[in-house]
Amino acid sequence: MLDFFRSGKVLKRSSVSGIALVLALASPAMPEGRVSYNLYGSPGLVDMPTANESPDATLTTTISKVGDAQRTTIGFQITPRLSGAFRYSGLSNYTSPASVKGVYYDRSFDLRYNLLTETASRPAVTIGLQDFIGTGLYGGEYVVATKSFAKGITVTGGVGWGRLGSHGAIGKTGTRTAELLGQGGIPTYDRWFRGDFAPFGGVSWAVNDRMTVKAEYSSDNYTTERKDAQFNGTSPWNFGLDYTFKSGTQLSLYHAYGNQFGAQVTFATDLRSAKIPGGLEKAPVPVLVRPVGAAKDLGWTQEAGKRDATFQALKAGLANEGLVLEGLDLKAQRAVVRIRNPRYGNEAEAIGRTARAMTRAMPASVETFVIVPTVNGSAMSGVELQRTDIERLEHVEAKAILQKTVVRDAFKLAPPVEKGIYPKFTWSLAPYTKLSVFDPNSPVRADFGARLKADFWVAPNLRLSGSITKKVGGNLDKSNRNDKSNLPRVRTDYAKYSIQGDPAIERLTMSAYGRPGPNLYSRFTVGYLEEMYGGVSTELLWKRVNSPLALGVELNYVKQRDFDQMFGFRNYETFTGHASAYYAFGNGFHGQVDVGQYLAGDVGATLSLDREFANGWRVGAYATFTDASFEDFGEGSFDKGIRIAIPMQWVLGTASRQRNTVQIQSLTRDGGARLSVNDRLYEQVRDYHQPELDKQWGKFWR
């Protein structure tokens, strides 16, 4: 299920086409250079690929239609040479028993790798796997070369297998079955680069910096569509026209296969570049430089009430920056402050603004500033700076002050919370939308309504939290799938929750957070943990502030909630939990391995890899393999998906810690299902540790 209006939380489902709308509304930065995308959403001509690669970190969303085929593809340039894509297709007028009301729906994944980059003397060369995890409908492999010449002319030639070797074959490498995989989701490695192979190629001409015309010879015979649909193409020649707008959006028109017409739109996004650098937040206060010799004046240490006056002055200064001062330990030459950052998604910006404010509030003799950011009442790290360095380096690049900064473990470092700040109550009323996609009977289903949410902080690290939803409309309750499985129905009864849960107590929990020891962080949550389960969830995380490695363990005992999502429970209960390892590889890449028992009692592991950018954008993928067989799991064979985190500062145009994560995965299944509990520790802890602070430090002076 997708819940787009829940800020900062993982969204369980989304319409693939909806992502295109989000990207278009966000209007992110245009990528460097210009690449044409084909009907499969990959760098290409019309149907055929080219060896060109998108600029590093480019996210693309392509919606295309040619004849009876409609395809929506999300692609990402994972590294400068490696790219991947997910595609959801609908084929109309399809006579196969697998079709629904004459439409066959298909999901597929692609990978491609640039073997050689183009130089003056050689072409670019790329090898690709098309639909390497799926039913095999679009399965094909290729090796392609592309070379640019003068006057905007680019020539492409390649050899393809599978679909791309079905017309004009010139040879054969082994045998290849053409059978479609009924459940899909299994890597088709036994077919790669096997069977007939055929040449393809084409040419494109950049008429100007906006328009490109292209022609290609296709090696795809559309064999399946000729047999099971109404495709009757008469020619292997395809022709296209691209127009690229200033925003980077590409609009394309095609005449294909002699009698087919098509069109597509592609949104291209450079995730490394912020739409509005620095956001629209007001400028920070300037650093107040001390007069010469003022640092030697210690007379203030004898003044009664000086500490309280300093606290109030700094509290007001930080409130003006959208930050909360919760504690202060003031000595003659050292000050330790405890802060909470509800505003800035870039944590280094919060640290920098706190340091600036401290230069204006602290007595002149205080030379060492220690800033302790807290999340859910737990101290994340201690960031130590020297006041002299802050004064001297304000107008120098941020990396200069980074070299002078020390980040240490904050265990027992944070000063006590000032009286009067807690208890604290907050609430909100907002719309919500829940989507479910990829059900062949109805590819997109949705519920929408209102959510009332409240939090009562009894103490800095003790919170009572709850949310209630009231559905206004939707059709999630219309799902009538009755998939056969030997697994307990731990997730596939979601339609019954939609039918009976109106209104619904979505969550009702008590959570406690702590620092049980050096480099250790803890969470304890009890109550109605999510819309389907209630119980107890505990977590312990180990992480050094300067290490890319973190280790954690989570244990849960839960019972399945009644379908009306009130206070009752059903008779299914289980222990579930995982041991986890997290690692920051550099260049924004974060890996995670979770090993343990899932909600249905199946045992296995989840592998995740995400690439995150300093501006808050994140793109990742995951796959879960358990001892549940592919047959027990059902369509899709095993749990896997793609997730895209969209920082709300792109939408709001100002600083915000909120972001929404759109998660695209196969149909909801019972295998590999995890508990959806709020505030898992790793995400909140690593943000204030190295190397994350180092990556974001460029905004220290913002």
Side-chain angles (χ1 to χ4, degrees):
M1 304 299 219
L2 177 148
D3 189 349
F4 187 76
F5 292 96
R6 167 169 288 154
S7 300
K9 304 297 187 291
V10 171
L11 314 182
K12 299 296 184 180
R13 287 280 180 270
S14 174
S15 162
V16 180
S17 299
I19 297 175
L21 177 61
V22 172
L23 295 178
L25 293 175
S27 298
M30 177 179 176
E32 300 174 0
R34 183 175 52 161
V35 177
S36 290
Y37 299 92
N38 64 17
L39 286 161
Y40 286 96
S42 297
L45 294 165
V46 180
D47 239 9
M48 299 295 104
T50 64
N52 298 322
E53 294 297 326
S54 304
D56 184 30
T58 297
L59 177 70
T60 57
T61 303
T62 297
I63 302 173
S64 67
K65 182 173 177 57
V66 60
D68 290 334
Q70 179 173 324
R71 306 167 188 155
T72 301
T73 306
I74 298 170
F76 182 58
Q77 194 67 37
I78 304 168
T79 70
R81 291 178 181 265
L82 178 67
S83 62
F86 168 76
R87 182 178 309 103
Y88 189 54
S89 306
L91 299 174
S92 302
N93 300 311
Y94 200 81
T95 60
S96 168
S99 65
V100 178
K101 297 180 181 179
V103 181
Y104 178 78
Y105 296 101
D106 185 82
R107 299 177 297 276
S108 55
F109 292 85
D110 299 351
L111 274 179
R112 44 186 281 151
Y113 185 79
N114 183 232
L115 297 172
L116 296 174
T117 57
E118 183 177 351
T119 67
S121 59
R122 76 175 185 219
V125 178
T126 292
I127 184 171
L129 301 175
Q130 185 171 287
D131 192 6
F132 77 102
I133 299 180
T135 63
L137 173 65
Y138 289 121
E141 304 79 49
Y142 57 87
V143 178
V144 61
T146 298
K147 185 73 175 71
S148 299
F149 297 93
K151 299 182 180 180
I153 296 176
T154 301
V155 177
T156 292
V159 177
W161 286 258
R163 279 191 73 114
L164 303 182
S166 59
H167 176 80
I170 59 174
K172 189 174 185 178
T173 55
T175 59
R176 181 190 191 106
T177 177
E179 180 185 1
L180 297 185
L181 300 175
Q183 293 182 337
I186 302 173
T188 56
Y189 56 85
D190 58 336
R191 305 183 185 189
W192 297 346
F193 300 99
R194 296 187 181 183
D196 294 339
F197 60 86
F200 62 85
V203 60
S204 66
W205 173 42
V207 180
N208 52 43
D209 60 353
R210 290 280 182 263
M211 186 178 297
T212 300
V213 294
K214 48 196 181 180
E216 71 174 18
Y217 175 84
S218 171
S219 59
D220 187 348
N221 191 49
Y222 276 65
T223 302
T224 302
E225 288 86 344
R226 290 182 188 274
K227 181 183 67 174
D228 295 330
Q230 295 182 358
F231 182 87
N232 57 357
T234 60
S235 171
W237 289 97
N238 302 326
F239 305 91
L241 171 67
D242 295 340
Y243 186 84
T244 304
F245 295 91
K246 186 177 180 180
S247 65
T249 299
Q250 173 187 306
L251 179 64
S252 303
L253 300 175
Y254 301 117
H255 181 262
Y257 299 100
N259 54 15
Q260 306 289 310
F261 292 91
Q264 79 177 42
V265 60
T266 300
F267 302 104
T269 308
D270 181 358
L271 297 190
R272 297 168 301 179
S273 302
K275 174 185 175 184
I276 306 175
L280 295 179
E281 68 269 19
K282 62 183 179 181
V285 297
V287 171
L288 181 62
V289 179
R290 295 168 292 181
V292 176
K296 298 180 180 179
D297 182 7
L298 299 177
W300 66 269
T301 59
Q302 306 301 316
E303 298 179 19
K306 182 63 175 179
R307 183 266 177 201
D308 292 341
T310 300
F311 178 88
Q312 293 301 325
L314 182 58
K315 178 182 178 181
L318 290 182
N320 192 50
E321 303 289 348
L323 299 167
V324 180
L325 178 65
E326 294 191 340
L328 169 65
D329 181 15
L330 182 63
K331 300 292 191 299
Q333 295 180 323
R334 177 183 173 93
V336 182
V337 297
R338 177 190 186 118
I339 68 164
R340 181 165 50 85
N341 168 28
R343 174 175 291 182
Y344 301 99
N346 187 299
E347 286 74 18
E349 185 174 2
I351 300 295
R353 291 187 176 233
T354 301
R356 287 176 178 271
M358 290 179 73
T359 67
R360 309 185 72 82
M362 292 294 148
S365 67
V366 178
E367 171 63 19
T368 300
F369 293 169
V370 181
I371 300 169
V372 182
T374 64
V375 179
N376 293 327
S378 295
M380 297 291 103
S381 62
V383 183
E384 182 176 309
L385 305 106
Q386 299 304 309
R387 189 173 187 170
T388 301
D389 293 329
I390 298 171
E391 295 171 337
R392 180 171 57 89
L393 300 173
E394 180 184 11
H395 301 294
V396 181
E397 286 188 7
K399 64 181 180 181
I401 190 73
L402 176 61
Q403 294 172 352
K404 301 290 185 179
T405 302
V406 177
V407 182
R408 58 168 51 91
D409 183 28
F411 180 64
K412 293 186 177 181
L413 181 61
V417 176
E418 199 78 2
K419 293 181 180 179
I421 297 179
Y422 295 93
K424 179 170 68 80
F425 177 77
T426 62
W427 69 277
S428 64
L429 177 63
Y432 78 87
T433 301
K434 296 180 180 180
L435 295 177
S436 175
V437 298
F438 304 143
D439 183 341
N441 295 313
S442 182
V444 180
R445 296 184 186 274
D447 280 352
F448 59 93
R451 172 183 290 114
L452 177 64
K453 181 180 178 181
D455 292 289
F456 180 67
W457 293 91
V458 180
N461 64 337
L462 183 61
R463 178 179 63 178
L464 304 178
S465 180
S467 61
I468 299 173
T469 59
K470 178 66 178 76
K471 184 168 67 173
V472 175
N475 63 350
L476 282 180
D477 54 357
K478 304 300 182 182
S479 176
N480 58 0
R481 294 181 66 87
N482 187 23
D483 301 300
K484 295 180 180 180
S485 171
N486 293 324
L487 297 174
R489 296 181 67 89
V490 296
R491 288 300 185 195
T492 48
D493 282 332
Y494 64 87
K496 296 179 180 178
Y497 284 93
S498 176
I499 294 170
Q500 301 184 35
D502 182 29
I505 299 174
E506 194 174 40
R507 298 174 191 263
L508 186 61
T509 61
M510 180 186 73
S511 300
Y513 308 87
R515 292 294 313 270
N519 305 314
L520 292 176
Y521 305 82
S522 65
R523 173 186 59 81
F524 174 83
T525 307
V526 61
Y528 299 92
L529 304 173
E530 51 147 287
E531 59 186 1
M532 294 187 186
Y533 291 91
V536 178
S537 175
T538 61
E539 186 181 3
L540 183 67
L541 180 77
W542 172 89
K543 188 181 185 305
R544 292 194 177 114
V545 294
N546 58 355
S547 172
L549 174 68
L551 301 173
V553 60
E554 178 181 300
L555 298 175
N556 312 290
Y557 168 72
V558 294
K559 295 190 69 173
Q560 197 170 48
R561 296 178 61 187
D562 279 345
F563 295 138
D564 63 3
Q565 296 177 69
M566 288 298 167
F567 296 101
F569 290 93
R570 306 185 72 231
N571 60 5
Y572 182 78
E573 59 186 78
T574 186
F575 285 96
T576 176
H578 292 78
S580 302
Y582 313 85
Y583 196 83
F585 293 99
N587 197 28
F589 285 96
H590 292 268
Q592 180 175 338
V593 179
D594 304 295
V595 180
Q597 180 166 295
Y598 296 82
L599 283 171
D602 48 331
V603 176
T606 299
L607 309 177
S608 306
L609 182 65
D610 295 82
R611 187 176 181 188
E612 185 173 356
F613 302 90
N615 55 23
W617 281 90
R618 182 190 300 180
V619 177
Y622 73 91
T624 298
F625 304 90
T626 74
D627 58 359
S629 67
F630 292 163
E631 291 75 16
D632 283 341
F633 184 88
E635 185 178 346
S637 300
F638 62 95
D639 193 37
K640 55 194 171 297
I642 297 170
R643 52 198 176 208
I644 302 172
I646 304 169
M648 291 306 293
Q649 61 189 2
W650 282 73
V651 180
L652 302 175
T654 188
S656 173
R657 291 190 62 80
Q658 299 178 346
R659 64 181 172 191
N660 288 319
T661 302
V662 181
Q663 184 164 300
I664 308 162
Q665 65 184 114
S666 300
L667 285 167
T668 298
R669 294 296 182 210
D670 297 313
R674 290 193 68 177
L675 189 68
S676 178
V677 62
N678 279 350
D679 296 330
R680 287 189 165 107
L681 293 172
Y682 178 68
E683 291 290 327
Q684 63 191 43
V685 170
R686 69 163 177 118
D687 286 346
Y688 290 99
H689 284 197
Q690 295 171 316
E692 287 303 295
L693 276 180
D694 292 358
K695 182 182 73 176
Q696 301 175 355
W697 204 261
K699 293 192 73 173
F700 178 86
W701 291 122
R702 291 291 179 95

